[in-house]
Amino acid sequence: MSDNAVKQAQEAAAAAAAAAEALQAQAQEAIRKAEEAAALAQRAAKAASRVEERPAEPDASRDPGAAQAGFETAPSSPPQPAASGPLDDAQVAAIRDGYAFEAAALEMGALVNGEAMPDVPVRIPLAMTNRHGLVAGATGTGKTRTLQVLAEQFAAHGVAVFAADIKGDLSGLATPGAPSEKLLERTEGIGQAWSAASFPVEFFSLGGIGRGVPIRATIAGFGPLLLSKALGLNDTQESSLALVFHWAEDAGMALLDLEDLRAVLQYLVSDEGKAELEHLGGLSKATVGVILRELVAFAEAGADVFFGEPEIDTAEFLRVASDGRGIVSLLEVPGVADRPALYSTFLMWLLADLFNDLPEVGDLDQPKLVFFFDEAHLLFTDASKDFLAQVVQTVRLIRSKGVGVFFVTQTPKDVPGDVLAQLGSRVQHQLRAFTPDDAKALRATVSTYPHSGYDLEETLTILGTGEAIVTVMNEKGAPSPVAWTRLRAPQASMSPSPDAAIDAAVAASALQATYGAPIDRESAHELLTAKMNAAAAAAAAAEEAEARAKADAEFAKQQAAIEKQREKERKAAQAEYDRLMKRTSGSSRPRSRSSSSRREKSPLEEVLGSRTTQKVLTGVLEGIFGTRRRR
């Protein structure tokens, strides 16, 4: 077969594959529409059955006894058009009135009652968004798009936004959206006058992991409670870590990074430092060993680059652009599944830091900042009671600081009940009930909603993508009617912004000058290293001095022994000399001067008296007594 024929065959195969994919897509779309039609028919049948079950109004013309008994019949009202969905006209009117707020509000979408009703908008009062909220739903039901719609509208109202961009999709906020026939058909159906728009975005990264201005925090600023949660410590280990933080603060040991904490832990169980905490109960070496091992694993998960200086000023997340729109701060968190503890505890630290730093402002017309906590279940997994108590307290009180929090997760059961009780707005996307646990979670979710005209246990399982059950807190603090809502479409791009655009935005950020480069100032590690080095040097000097003293003592002892031996030898030589001299002087007798004759000398006298003998004796004595002059 020729190359041309092969090429034609390949092109034909590609065309056939594309046609097959198109047919498959059309078939799936047809199935989806059929399922929707079946669901609508089922709801219409239920509505019709409810209408048929209603008792008939009495007809006075057929009962003359009624008029005679004094009952007057009301004139018959004109017939009302039957509702096409599960709600009747009165329920639709109640929803219309329930979301007709006078003050500024976020436009969520339009009521769905069989079909979308653009004349019945569903909204959230802007002043109530600091009462927090929940966006929940199964994977692929549109939670991220809902988050984007909310972020866009907050920014447009001048409210700053902070969100974690886990999948990278939210970076599209910096790029205008692209219109399409399908998009415009949807937006027109809900009464949304769609136009492409982009929003001011600041990109951040955890300690420089990924693209964005690095966000860092000090170990001391993080605190023992959050760090214990991140390390997965038990209560005993957590209390020990709190004791270490207490000592470091009192001792002036700055805990800036993981290296500082490791140095303090090792010092406090060393021979030099274990006495530091004796009055406070001391530390167990086994406990410290566990903490050190967890710190190693924590560092390998990327935490070593997050902890340090310069620590981010959380006020940077409350900024407003020059045109009055709120800046959307996006935290890039690549591979969050690999480091869930770091991600969740960092976001909780950020929220706690905002709580500690911001002043009390009471109830504002709109919040200063809205904080979106995506993948919220990571925050509460394996959390201690103390940690959960801190979360509940922070969520309860931070609204008075002008901060709203929206938790984004798959099911409401991912969020503890004490936290759910603090949430004013709920946007519930489709839930799936494939398992008994799913069915149980579905029933539990339904039980938390106010009474409505929906069969929520069924409705929550048939919601389409981009649809949700919504209820919010109205301007009076009461829950609004439950509304099946077709949500608005984002105005910015629903795809990630190009890498080049993100890199350019990060490079142009004014925050790079402040937070771009890490700082390594003197802290606990350096101080303890210097202290340990000084102690080691002092110990070495003491050992050297002791060794020198021992050597000097041994030398003196040897010198004394030598002197003693010399003295002994000198005395022996002197004694021998004295003996010889005495013997020599004793053997010669004095002569009379008058004697004219001279006595002959003996051989010994001649020998001893000779010059040679005298020189020999003198040399011997000088050698013995060490008095010989050395040449």
Side-chain angles (χ1 to χ4, degrees), residues 215-251:
I215 293 180
R216 301 181 184 88
T218 63
I219 287 288
F222 213 70
L225 187 61
L226 288 176
L227 188 58
S228 296
K229 197 270 180 182
L231 297 176
L233 304 183
N234 60 31
D235 293 341
T236 301
Q237 294 156 356
E238 182 179 315
S239 64
S240 297
L241 191 60
L243 184 63
V244 171
F245 273 70
H246 172 76
W247 177 85
E249 183 176 0
D250 287 350

Coordinates of all heavy atoms in Angstrom, one line a residue, residues 215-251:
I215 N 4.0 33.0 50.7 CA 3.4 33.2 52.0 C 4.1 32.3 53.0 O 4.3 31.1 52.8 CB 1.9 32.8 52.0 CG1 1.1 33.7 51.1 CG2 1.3 32.8 53.4 CD1 -0.4 33.3 51.0
R216 N 4.6 33.0 54.0 CA 5.4 32.3 55.1 C 4.8 32.7 56.4 O 4.2 33.8 56.6 CB 6.8 32.6 55.1 CG 7.6 32.3 53.8 CD 9.0 32.7 53.9 NE 9.7 32.4 52.6 CZ 9.8 33.3 51.6 NH1 9.3 34.5 51.8 NH2 10.5 33.0 50.5
A217 N 5.0 31.8 57.4 CA 4.6 32.1 58.8 C 5.7 31.6 59.7 O 6.3 30.6 59.4 CB 3.2 31.4 59.1
T218 N 5.8 32.2 60.8 CA 6.8 31.7 61.8 C 6.2 30.6 62.6 O 5.0 30.5 62.8 CB 7.3 32.9 62.7 OG1 6.2 33.3 63.5 CG2 7.9 34.0 61.9
I219 N 7.1 29.8 63.2 CA 6.6 28.7 64.1 C 5.9 29.3 65.3 O 4.8 28.8 65.7 CB 7.8 27.8 64.5 CG1 8.3 27.0 63.3 CG2 7.4 27.0 65.7 CD1 7.3 25.8 63.0
A220 N 6.5 30.4 65.8 CA 5.8 31.0 67.0 C 4.5 31.6 66.6 O 3.5 31.5 67.4 CB 6.7 32.1 67.5
G221 N 4.3 32.2 65.5 CA 3.1 32.7 65.0 C 2.0 31.6 64.8 O 0.8 31.8 65.0
F222 N 2.5 30.5 64.3 CA 1.6 29.3 64.1 C 1.0 28.8 65.4 O -0.1 28.5 65.4 CB 2.4 28.2 63.3 CG 1.6 27.5 62.4 CD1 1.1 28.0 61.2 CD2 1.3 26.1 62.6 CE1 0.4 27.3 60.3 CE2 0.6 25.4 61.7 CZ 0.1 26.0 60.5
G223 N 1.9 28.7 66.4 CA 1.4 28.2 67.7 C 1.4 26.7 67.9 O 1.3 26.0 66.9
P224 N 1.4 26.2 69.1 CA 1.5 24.8 69.4 C 0.2 24.0 69.0 O 0.2 22.9 68.6 CB 1.7 24.7 70.9 CG 1.2 26.0 71.4 CD 1.5 27.0 70.3
L225 N -1.0 24.7 69.1 CA -2.2 24.0 68.8 C -2.4 23.6 67.4 O -2.6 22.5 67.0 CB -3.4 24.9 69.3 CG -4.8 24.2 69.2 CD1 -4.9 23.0 70.1 CD2 -5.9 25.2 69.6
L226 N -2.2 24.6 66.5 CA -2.3 24.3 65.0 C -1.1 23.4 64.6 O -1.4 22.5 63.7 CB -2.2 25.6 64.3 CG -3.5 26.5 64.3 CD1 -3.2 27.8 63.6 CD2 -4.7 25.8 63.8
L227 N 0.0 23.6 65.2 CA 1.2 22.7 64.8 C 0.9 21.3 65.2 O 1.3 20.4 64.5 CB 2.5 23.3 65.4 CG 3.7 22.6 64.9 CD1 3.9 22.7 63.4 CD2 5.0 23.2 65.6
S228 N 0.3 21.1 66.4 CA 0.0 19.7 66.8 C -1.0 19.1 65.9 O -0.8 17.9 65.6 CB -0.5 19.8 68.2 OG 0.4 20.3 69.2
K229 N -1.9 19.9 65.4 CA -2.9 19.3 64.5 C -2.2 18.9 63.2 O -2.5 17.9 62.6 CB -4.0 20.3 64.2 CG -5.3 19.7 63.6 CD -5.3 19.8 62.1 CE -6.5 19.2 61.5 NZ -6.5 19.1 60.0
A230 N -1.3 19.8 62.7 CA -0.6 19.5 61.5 C 0.3 18.2 61.6 O 0.4 17.5 60.6 CB 0.2 20.7 61.0
L231 N 0.9 18.0 62.8 CA 1.8 16.9 63.0 C 1.0 15.6 63.4 O 1.6 14.6 63.5 CB 2.8 17.3 64.1 CG 3.7 18.4 63.8 CD1 4.6 18.7 65.0 CD2 4.6 18.1 62.5
G232 N -0.3 15.7 63.7 CA -1.0 14.6 64.1 C -0.7 14.1 65.5 O -0.7 12.9 65.8
L233 N -0.3 15.0 66.4 CA 0.1 14.6 67.8 C -1.1 14.3 68.7 O -2.2 14.9 68.5 CB 0.9 15.8 68.4 CG 2.1 16.2 67.7 CD1 2.8 17.3 68.4 CD2 3.1 15.1 67.4
N234 N -0.9 13.5 69.7 CA -2.0 13.2 70.6 C -2.0 14.3 71.7 O -1.2 15.2 71.7 CB -1.8 11.8 71.2 CG -0.5 11.6 72.0 OD1 0.0 12.5 72.5 ND2 0.0 10.4 72.0
D235 N -2.9 14.1 72.7 CA -3.0 15.2 73.7 C -1.8 15.4 74.5 O -1.4 16.5 74.9 CB -4.2 14.9 74.6 CG -5.6 15.0 73.9 OD1 -5.6 15.6 72.8 OD2 -6.6 14.4 74.3
T236 N -1.1 14.3 74.9 CA 0.1 14.3 75.7 C 1.2 15.0 74.9 O 1.9 15.9 75.5 CB 0.5 12.9 76.1 OG1 -0.5 12.3 76.9 CG2 1.8 13.0 77.0
Q237 N 1.4 14.7 73.7 CA 2.4 15.3 72.9 C 2.1 16.8 72.6 O 3.0 17.6 72.6 CB 2.5 14.5 71.6 CG 3.1 13.1 71.8 CD 2.7 12.2 70.6 OE1 1.9 12.6 69.7 NE2 3.1 10.9 70.7
E238 N 0.8 17.1 72.5 CA 0.4 18.5 72.3 C 0.7 19.3 73.5 O 1.2 20.4 73.3 CB -1.1 18.5 71.9 CG -1.6 19.9 71.6 CD -3.1 19.9 71.3 OE1 -3.5 19.0 70.5 OE2 -3.8 20.7 71.8
S239 N 0.5 18.8 74.7 CA 0.8 19.6 75.9 C 2.3 19.7 76.1 O 2.7 20.8 76.5 CB 0.1 18.9 77.1 OG 0.7 17.6 77.3
S240 N 3.0 18.7 75.7 CA 4.5 18.8 75.8 C 5.0 19.9 74.8 O 5.9 20.7 75.1 CB 5.2 17.5 75.4 OG 4.8 16.5 76.4
L241 N 4.4 19.9 73.6 CA 4.8 21.0 72.6 C 4.5 22.4 73.1 O 5.2 23.3 72.9 CB 4.2 20.7 71.3 CG 4.7 21.5 70.1 CD1 6.1 21.2 69.8 CD2 3.9 21.2 68.8
A242 N 3.3 22.5 73.8 CA 2.9 23.8 74.3 C 3.9 24.2 75.4 O 4.2 25.4 75.5 CB 1.5 23.7 74.9
L243 N 4.4 23.3 76.2 CA 5.4 23.6 77.2 C 6.7 24.1 76.6 O 7.4 25.0 77.1 CB 5.7 22.3 78.0 CG 6.7 22.5 79.2 CD1 6.1 23.4 80.3 CD2 6.9 21.1 79.9
V244 N 7.1 23.5 75.5 CA 8.3 23.9 74.7 C 8.2 25.3 74.2 O 9.1 26.2 74.4 CB 8.6 23.0 73.6 CG1 9.7 23.5 72.7 CG2 9.0 21.6 74.1
F245 N 7.0 25.7 73.7 CA 6.7 27.0 73.2 C 6.8 28.0 74.4 O 7.3 29.1 74.2 CB 5.4 27.1 72.5 CG 5.4 26.7 71.1 CD1 5.6 25.4 70.6 CD2 5.2 27.7 70.1 CE1 5.6 25.1 69.3 CE2 5.2 27.4 68.7 CZ 5.4 26.1 68.3
H246 N 6.2 27.6 75.5 CA 6.2 28.5 76.7 C 7.7 28.8 77.1 O 8.0 29.9 77.4 CB 5.5 27.8 77.8 CG 5.5 28.5 79.1 ND1 4.8 29.7 79.4 CD2 6.3 28.3 80.2 CE1 5.1 30.1 80.6 NE2 6.0 29.2 81.1
W247 N 8.5 27.8 77.2 CA 9.9 28.0 77.6 C 10.6 28.9 76.6 O 11.4 29.7 77.0 CB 10.6 26.6 77.7 CG 12.1 26.8 78.1 CD1 12.6 26.9 79.3 CD2 13.2 26.9 77.2 NE1 14.0 27.1 79.3 CE2 14.3 27.1 77.9 CE3 13.3 26.8 75.8 CZ2 15.6 27.2 77.4 CZ3 14.5 27.0 75.2 CH2 15.7 27.2 76.0
A248 N 10.5 28.6 75.3 CA 11.2 29.4 74.3 C 10.8 30.9 74.4 O 11.7 31.7 74.3 CB 10.8 28.8 72.9
E249 N 9.6 31.2 74.7 CA 9.2 32.6 74.8 C 9.8 33.2 76.0 O 10.3 34.3 75.9 CB 7.6 32.6 74.8 CG 7.1 34.1 74.9 CD 5.6 34.1 74.8 OE1 4.9 33.1 74.8 OE2 5.1 35.3 74.9
D250 N 9.8 32.5 77.1 CA 10.4 33.0 78.3 C 11.9 33.2 78.2 O 12.5 34.1 78.8 CB 10.0 32.1 79.5 CG 8.6 32.3 80.0 OD1 7.9 33.2 79.5 OD2 8.1 31.4 80.8
A251 N 12.5 32.3 77.5 CA 14.0 32.3 77.4 C 14.4 33.3 76.2 O 15.7 33.4 76.1 CB 14.5 30.9 77.1

